[in-house]
Coordinates of all heavy atoms in Angstrom, one line a residue:
M21 N 15.3 -40.8 78.1 CA 16.0 -42.1 78.2 C 16.2 -42.5 79.8 O 16.6 -41.6 80.5 CB 17.3 -42.1 77.5 CG 18.1 -43.5 77.6 SD 19.7 -43.4 77.1 CE 19.4 -43.3 75.3
R22 N 15.8 -43.8 80.1 CA 16.1 -44.3 81.4 C 17.0 -45.5 81.3 O 17.0 -46.2 80.4 CB 14.8 -44.6 82.1 CG 13.8 -43.4 82.3 CD 12.6 -43.7 83.0 NE 12.8 -43.9 84.5 CZ 12.9 -42.9 85.4 NH1 12.6 -41.7 85.0 NH2 13.1 -43.3 86.6
I23 N 17.7 -45.7 82.4 CA 18.5 -46.9 82.5 C 18.0 -47.8 83.6 O 17.7 -47.3 84.7 CB 20.0 -46.5 82.9 CG1 20.7 -45.7 81.9 CG2 20.9 -47.8 83.0 CD1 22.0 -45.2 82.2
T24 N 17.9 -49.0 83.3 CA 17.6 -49.9 84.4 C 18.7 -51.1 84.5 O 19.2 -51.3 83.4 CB 16.2 -50.6 84.3 OG1 16.1 -51.2 83.0 CG2 15.1 -49.6 84.5
I25 N 19.0 -51.6 85.6 CA 20.0 -52.6 85.7 C 19.3 -53.9 86.3 O 18.7 -53.7 87.4 CB 21.2 -52.2 86.6 CG1 21.9 -51.0 85.9 CG2 22.1 -53.4 86.9 CD1 22.9 -50.5 86.7
D26 N 19.4 -55.0 85.7 CA 18.9 -56.2 86.1 C 19.9 -56.8 87.1 O 20.9 -57.5 86.6 CB 18.6 -57.2 85.0 CG 18.0 -58.5 85.5 OD1 17.9 -58.8 86.7 OD2 17.6 -59.3 84.6
R27 N 19.7 -56.7 88.4 CA 20.7 -57.1 89.4 C 20.8 -58.6 89.4 O 21.8 -59.2 89.8 CB 20.3 -56.6 90.8 CG 20.4 -55.0 90.9 CD 21.6 -54.5 91.5 NE 21.7 -54.9 92.9 CZ 22.8 -54.7 93.6 NH1 23.9 -54.3 93.1 NH2 22.8 -55.2 94.9
T28 N 19.8 -59.3 88.9 CA 19.9 -60.8 89.0 C 20.7 -61.3 87.8 O 21.3 -62.4 87.8 CB 18.5 -61.5 88.8 OG1 17.9 -61.1 87.5 CG2 17.6 -61.0 89.9
A29 N 20.9 -60.4 86.7 CA 21.8 -60.8 85.6 C 23.2 -60.3 85.8 O 24.1 -60.8 85.2 CB 21.2 -60.2 84.3
C30 N 23.4 -59.2 86.6 CA 24.6 -58.6 86.8 C 25.6 -59.6 87.4 O 25.3 -60.2 88.4 CB 24.5 -57.4 87.7 SG 26.1 -56.6 88.1
S31 N 26.8 -59.7 86.9 CA 27.8 -60.6 87.4 C 29.0 -59.9 87.9 O 30.1 -60.6 88.2 CB 28.2 -61.6 86.2 OG 27.1 -62.4 85.9
G32 N 28.9 -58.6 88.0 CA 30.1 -57.9 88.6 C 31.2 -57.6 87.9 O 32.4 -57.6 88.3
H33 N 31.1 -57.5 86.6 CA 32.3 -57.3 85.6 C 32.9 -55.9 85.8 O 34.0 -55.7 85.4 CB 31.9 -57.6 84.3 CG 31.4 -59.0 84.0 ND1 32.3 -60.0 84.0 CD2 30.2 -59.4 83.7 CE1 31.6 -61.2 83.7 NE2 30.3 -60.9 83.5
A34 N 32.0 -55.0 86.2 CA 32.4 -53.6 86.4 C 32.6 -52.9 85.1 O 33.2 -51.7 85.1 CB 33.6 -53.5 87.3
R35 N 32.3 -53.5 84.0 CA 32.6 -52.9 82.7 C 31.7 -51.6 82.4 O 32.1 -50.7 81.8 CB 32.4 -53.8 81.6 CG 33.5 -55.0 81.6 CD 33.3 -55.9 80.4 NE 34.2 -57.1 80.6 CZ 34.2 -58.1 79.8 NH1 33.4 -58.1 78.7 NH2 35.0 -59.1 80.0
C36 N 30.5 -51.7 82.9 CA 29.6 -50.5 82.8 C 30.2 -49.3 83.3 O 30.3 -48.2 82.8 CB 28.2 -50.8 83.3 SG 28.2 -51.3 85.0
A37 N 30.7 -49.4 84.6 CA 31.3 -48.3 85.3 C 32.6 -47.9 84.7 O 33.0 -46.6 84.8 CB 31.5 -48.6 86.8
A38 N 33.4 -48.7 84.1 CA 34.6 -48.4 83.4 C 34.3 -47.6 82.2 O 35.0 -46.7 81.8 CB 35.4 -49.7 83.1
A39 N 33.2 -48.0 81.5 CA 32.9 -47.3 80.2 C 32.2 -46.0 80.4 O 32.3 -45.1 79.6 CB 31.9 -48.2 79.4
A40 N 31.4 -45.9 81.6 CA 30.7 -44.6 81.8 C 30.5 -44.4 83.3 O 29.6 -44.6 83.8 CB 29.3 -44.8 81.2
P41 N 31.7 -44.0 83.9 CA 31.8 -43.8 85.3 C 30.8 -42.7 85.8 O 30.4 -42.7 87.0 CB 33.2 -43.5 85.6 CG 33.8 -43.1 84.3 CD 33.0 -43.7 83.3
E42 N 30.4 -41.8 84.9 CA 29.5 -40.7 85.3 C 28.1 -41.2 85.5 O 27.3 -40.5 86.1 CB 29.6 -39.6 84.3 CG 29.2 -39.9 82.9 CD 30.3 -40.5 82.0 OE1 30.8 -41.6 82.4 OE2 30.6 -39.9 81.0
L43 N 27.8 -42.4 85.1 CA 26.4 -42.9 85.3 C 26.3 -44.1 86.2 O 25.4 -44.2 87.0 CB 25.9 -43.3 83.9 CG 25.3 -42.2 83.0 CD1 25.0 -42.7 81.6 CD2 24.1 -41.5 83.6
F44 N 27.3 -45.1 86.1 CA 27.2 -46.3 86.8 C 28.1 -46.4 87.9 O 29.2 -46.0 87.9 CB 27.6 -47.4 85.8 CG 26.7 -47.6 84.6 CD1 27.0 -46.9 83.5 CD2 25.6 -48.3 84.6 CE1 26.2 -47.0 82.3 CE2 24.8 -48.5 83.5 CZ 25.1 -47.8 82.4
R45 N 27.5 -46.8 89.1 CA 28.2 -47.0 90.3 C 28.1 -48.5 90.7 O 27.2 -49.2 90.4 CB 27.5 -46.2 91.4 CG 27.4 -44.7 91.1 CD 28.8 -44.0 91.4 NE 28.8 -42.6 91.2 CZ 29.1 -42.0 90.0 NH1 29.4 -42.7 89.1 NH2 29.0 -40.7 89.9
L46 N 29.2 -48.9 91.5 CA 29.3 -50.2 91.9 C 29.3 -50.4 93.4 O 29.6 -49.5 94.1 CB 30.6 -50.8 91.4 CG 31.0 -50.8 89.9 CD1 32.3 -51.2 89.6 CD2 29.9 -51.5 89.0
D47 N 28.8 -51.5 93.9 CA 28.9 -51.8 95.2 C 30.3 -52.3 95.7 O 31.2 -52.4 94.8 CB 27.7 -52.8 95.7 CG 27.9 -54.2 95.2 OD1 29.0 -54.5 94.6 OD2 26.9 -54.9 95.2
D48 N 30.5 -52.6 96.9 CA 31.8 -53.0 97.4 C 32.4 -54.3 96.7 O 33.6 -54.6 96.7 CB 31.8 -53.1 98.9 CG 31.7 -51.8 99.5 OD1 31.9 -50.8 98.9 OD2 31.4 -51.8 100.8
D49 N 31.4 -55.1 96.2 CA 31.8 -56.3 95.5 C 31.9 -56.1 94.0 O 32.2 -57.1 93.3 CB 30.8 -57.4 95.8 CG 30.8 -57.7 97.3 OD1 31.9 -57.8 97.9 OD2 29.7 -57.9 97.9
G50 N 31.7 -55.0 93.4 CA 31.9 -54.7 92.0 C 30.7 -55.0 91.2 O 30.7 -54.9 90.0
Y51 N 29.5 -55.1 91.8 CA 28.2 -55.3 91.1 C 27.6 -53.9 91.0 O 27.7 -53.0 91.9 CB 27.2 -56.1 91.9 CG 27.7 -57.6 92.0 CD1 28.7 -58.0 92.7 CD2 27.1 -58.5 91.0 CE1 29.1 -59.4 92.7 CE2 27.5 -59.9 91.1 CZ 28.4 -60.3 91.8 OH 28.8 -61.6 91.8
A52 N 26.9 -53.7 89.9 CA 26.3 -52.4 89.6 C 25.2 -52.2 90.6 O 24.3 -53.0 90.9 CB 25.7 -52.4 88.2
L53 N 25.2 -50.9 91.1 CA 24.1 -50.5 92.0 C 22.8 -50.2 91.3 O 22.9 -49.8 90.1 CB 24.5 -49.3 92.8 CG 25.6 -49.5 93.8 CD1 26.2 -48.2 94.3 CD2 25.1 -50.4 95.0
P54 N 21.7 -50.4 91.8 CA 20.4 -50.2 91.1 C 20.3 -48.7 90.6 O 20.8 -47.8 91.2 CB 19.3 -50.3 92.3 CG 20.0 -51.2 93.3 CD 21.5 -50.9 93.2
L55 N 19.7 -48.6 89.4 CA 19.8 -47.4 88.7 C 18.4 -47.4 87.9 O 18.2 -48.1 87.2 CB 21.0 -47.3 87.8 CG 21.4 -46.0 87.1 CD1 21.7 -45.0 88.2 CD2 22.5 -46.3 86.2
D56 N 17.7 -46.3 88.2 CA 16.4 -46.1 87.5 C 16.2 -44.6 87.4 O 15.3 -44.1 88.1 CB 15.2 -46.9 88.1 CG 14.1 -46.9 87.2 OD1 14.2 -46.4 86.0 OD2 13.0 -47.3 87.6
T57 N 17.0 -44.0 86.6 CA 17.0 -42.6 86.6 C 16.9 -42.1 85.1 O 17.3 -42.7 84.2 CB 18.2 -41.9 87.2 OG1 19.4 -42.4 86.5 CG2 18.3 -42.3 88.7
E58 N 16.4 -40.8 85.0 CA 16.4 -40.2 83.7 C 17.7 -39.7 83.4 O 18.5 -39.1 84.2 CB 15.4 -38.9 83.7 CG 15.0 -38.4 82.5 CD 14.1 -39.4 81.6 OE1 13.3 -40.1 82.2 OE2 14.2 -39.3 80.5
V59 N 18.2 -40.1 82.1 CA 19.5 -39.8 81.7 C 19.5 -38.4 81.0 O 18.8 -38.2 80.0 CB 20.0 -40.8 80.7 CG1 21.4 -40.5 80.2 CG2 20.1 -42.1 81.4
P60 N 20.3 -37.5 81.4 CA 20.4 -36.1 80.7 C 20.9 -36.4 79.2 O 21.7 -37.2 79.0 CB 21.4 -35.4 81.6 CG 21.5 -36.1 82.8 CD 21.2 -37.5 82.6
A61 N 20.4 -35.5 78.3 CA 20.7 -35.6 76.9 C 22.2 -35.8 76.7 O 22.7 -36.6 75.8 CB 20.2 -34.5 76.2
E62 N 23.0 -35.0 77.5 CA 24.5 -35.0 77.3 C 25.1 -36.3 77.7 O 26.2 -36.5 77.4 CB 25.1 -33.8 77.9 CG 25.0 -33.8 79.5 CD 23.8 -33.2 80.0 OE1 22.8 -33.0 79.2 OE2 23.8 -32.7 81.2
L63 N 24.4 -37.2 78.4 CA 25.0 -38.4 78.9 C 24.4 -39.7 78.2 O 24.7 -40.8 78.5 CB 24.8 -38.6 80.4 CG 25.6 -37.6 81.2 CD1 25.3 -37.9 82.7 CD2 27.1 -37.7 81.0
E64 N 23.6 -39.4 77.1 CA 23.0 -40.6 76.4 C 24.1 -41.4 75.8 O 23.9 -42.6 75.7 CB 22.0 -40.0 75.4 CG 20.7 -39.5 76.1 CD 19.5 -39.2 75.2 OE1 19.8 -39.4 73.9 OE2 18.5 -38.8 75.7
Q65 N 25.1 -40.8 75.2 CA 26.2 -41.6 74.6 C 26.8 -42.5 75.6 O 27.1 -43.7 75.4 CB 27.2 -40.7 73.9 CG 28.2 -41.5 73.1 CD 27.6 -42.5 72.1 OE1 26.9 -42.1 71.2 NE2 28.0 -43.9 72.2
A66 N 27.0 -41.9 76.8 CA 27.7 -42.7 77.9 C 26.8 -43.9 78.3 O 27.3 -45.0 78.6 CB 27.8 -41.8 79.1
A67 N 25.5 -43.6 78.3 CA 24.5 -44.7 78.7 C 24.6 -45.9 77.7 O 24.6 -47.0 78.0 CB 23.1 -44.1 78.7
H68 N 24.7 -45.5 76.4 CA 24.8 -46.5 75.4 C 26.2 -47.3 75.5 O 26.2 -48.5 75.3 CB 24.8 -45.9 73.9 CG 23.3 -45.5 73.5 ND1 22.5 -46.5 73.2 CD2 22.7 -44.4 73.3 CE1 21.3 -45.9 72.8 NE2 21.4 -44.6 72.9
D69 N 27.2 -46.4 75.8 CA 28.6 -47.1 76.1 C 28.4 -48.2 77.2 O 29.0 -49.3 77.1 CB 29.6 -46.1 76.4 CG 29.9 -45.2 75.2 OD1 29.5 -45.6 74.0 OD2 30.5 -44.1 75.4
G70 N 27.7 -47.8 78.3 CA 27.6 -48.7 79.4 C 26.8 -50.0 79.0 O 27.1 -51.0 79.5
E71 N 25.8 -49.7 78.3 CA 25.0 -50.9 77.8 C 25.7 -51.8 77.0 O 25.7 -53.1 77.2 CB 23.7 -50.3 77.0 CG 22.8 -51.5 76.5 CD 21.9 -51.0 75.5 OE1 22.1 -50.1 74.7 OE2 20.7 -51.5 75.5
T72 N 26.5 -51.2 76.0 CA 27.2 -52.1 75.1 C 28.3 -52.8 75.8 O 28.7 -54.0 75.5 CB 27.9 -51.1 74.0 OG1 26.8 -50.5 73.3 CG2 28.6 -52.0 73.0
A73 N 28.9 -52.2 76.9 CA 30.0 -52.9 77.7 C 29.6 -54.0 78.4 O 30.4 -54.8 78.8 CB 30.7 -51.8 78.5
C74 N 28.4 -54.1 78.8 CA 27.9 -55.2 79.7 C 27.8 -56.5 79.0 O 26.9 -56.7 78.1 CB 26.5 -54.8 80.3 SG 26.0 -56.1 81.5
P75 N 28.5 -57.5 79.3 CA 28.5 -58.8 78.6 C 27.3 -59.7 79.1 O 27.0 -60.6 78.5 CB 29.8 -59.5 79.1 CG 30.1 -58.9 80.4 CD 29.7 -57.4 80.4
E76 N 26.6 -59.3 80.2 CA 25.5 -60.0 80.7 C 24.1 -59.4 80.2 O 23.1 -59.9 80.5 CB 25.5 -60.1 82.2 CG 26.8 -60.5 82.8 CD 27.1 -62.0 82.4 OE1 26.1 -62.7 82.1 OE2 28.3 -62.4 82.6
R77 N 24.1 -58.4 79.4 CA 23.0 -57.7 78.9 C 22.1 -57.3 80.2 O 20.8 -57.4 80.2 CB 22.1 -58.6 78.0 CG 22.9 -58.9 76.7 CD 22.0 -59.7 75.8 NE 22.8 -60.0 74.5 CZ 22.7 -59.3 73.4 NH1 22.0 -58.2 73.4 NH2 23.4 -59.7 72.3
A78 N 22.8 -56.9 81.2 CA 22.0 -56.5 82.4 C 21.6 -55.0 82.4 O 20.8 -54.6 83.3 CB 22.9 -56.7 83.7
V79 N 22.1 -54.3 81.4 CA 21.8 -52.9 81.3 C 20.8 -52.7 80.2 O 20.9 -53.1 79.1 CB 23.0 -52.1 80.9 CG1 22.7 -50.6 80.9 CG2 24.1 -52.2 82.1
T80 N 19.7 -52.1 80.6 CA 18.6 -51.7 79.6 C 18.4 -50.3 79.5 O 18.3 -49.6 80.5 CB 17.3 -52.5 80.0 OG1 17.5 -53.9 80.1 CG2 16.3 -52.2 78.9
L81 N 18.3 -49.8 78.3 CA 17.9 -48.4 78.0 C 16.5 -48.4 77.5 O 16.2 -49.2 76.7 CB 18.8 -47.7 77.0 CG 20.4 -47.8 77.3 CD1 21.1 -47.1 76.3 CD2 20.7 -47.3 78.7
R82 N 15.7 -47.4 77.8 CA 14.4 -47.4 77.3 C 13.8 -45.9 77.3 O 14.5 -45.1 78.0 CB 13.3 -48.2 78.1 CG 13.4 -48.0 79.6 CD 12.6 -49.0 80.3 NE 12.8 -49.0 81.8 CZ 12.2 -48.2 82.7 NH1 11.2 -47.5 82.2 NH2 12.6 -48.2 83.9
Ligands
SF4_12 S1 29.0 -54.6 83.2 FE1 26.9 -55.6 83.5 S2 27.5 -57.4 84.7 FE2 29.2 -56.0 84.9 S3 28.8 -54.7 86.7 FE3 27.9 -53.6 85.0 S4 25.8 -54.3 84.9 FE4 26.9 -55.8 86.1

C-alpha cells in the first residue's frame, strides 16, 4: 500500500496527522507534507484512519 496526498486539495485541517501521527506530517501552516511511501503492514490501519479523517479527500491509498 502507498499513500499519496493531493496538495492542491489539502486545506490544512490537520486531521490526517491527528488520526495517524506516525504516518502524516504537517508543514508549519498545518498542511500535509508530500507523502509517497510504501506503508508497512502494521501501519495500514493508520493509513486508512488518515484517509477517512480527511474531509477534502486529499489522501489516496493504492
Ligand atoms: S486532513 Fe486532508 S486536508 Fe487536512 S491536512 Fe490532512 S490531507 Fe490536508
Side-chain angles (χ1 to χ4, degrees):
M21 175 189 291
R22 297 181 75 85
I23 301 174
T24 56
I25 294 175
D26 180 354
R27 295 260 294 172
T28 65
C30 176
S31 296
H33 299 287
R35 294 185 189 173
C36 54
E42 60 273 66
L43 282 174
F44 298 90
R45 299 283 182 266
L46 305 176
D47 65 16
D48 291 341
D49 295 318
Y51 289 78
L53 290 169
L55 192 61
D56 190 7
T57 58
E58 194 69 31
V59 176
E62 64 271 22
L63 292 181
E64 288 188 359
Q65 183 58 55
H68 283 290
D69 291 345
E71 177 193 36
T72 302
C74 180
E76 306 297 340
R77 298 181 181 268
V79 178
T80 301
L81 307 182
R82 55 190 164 87

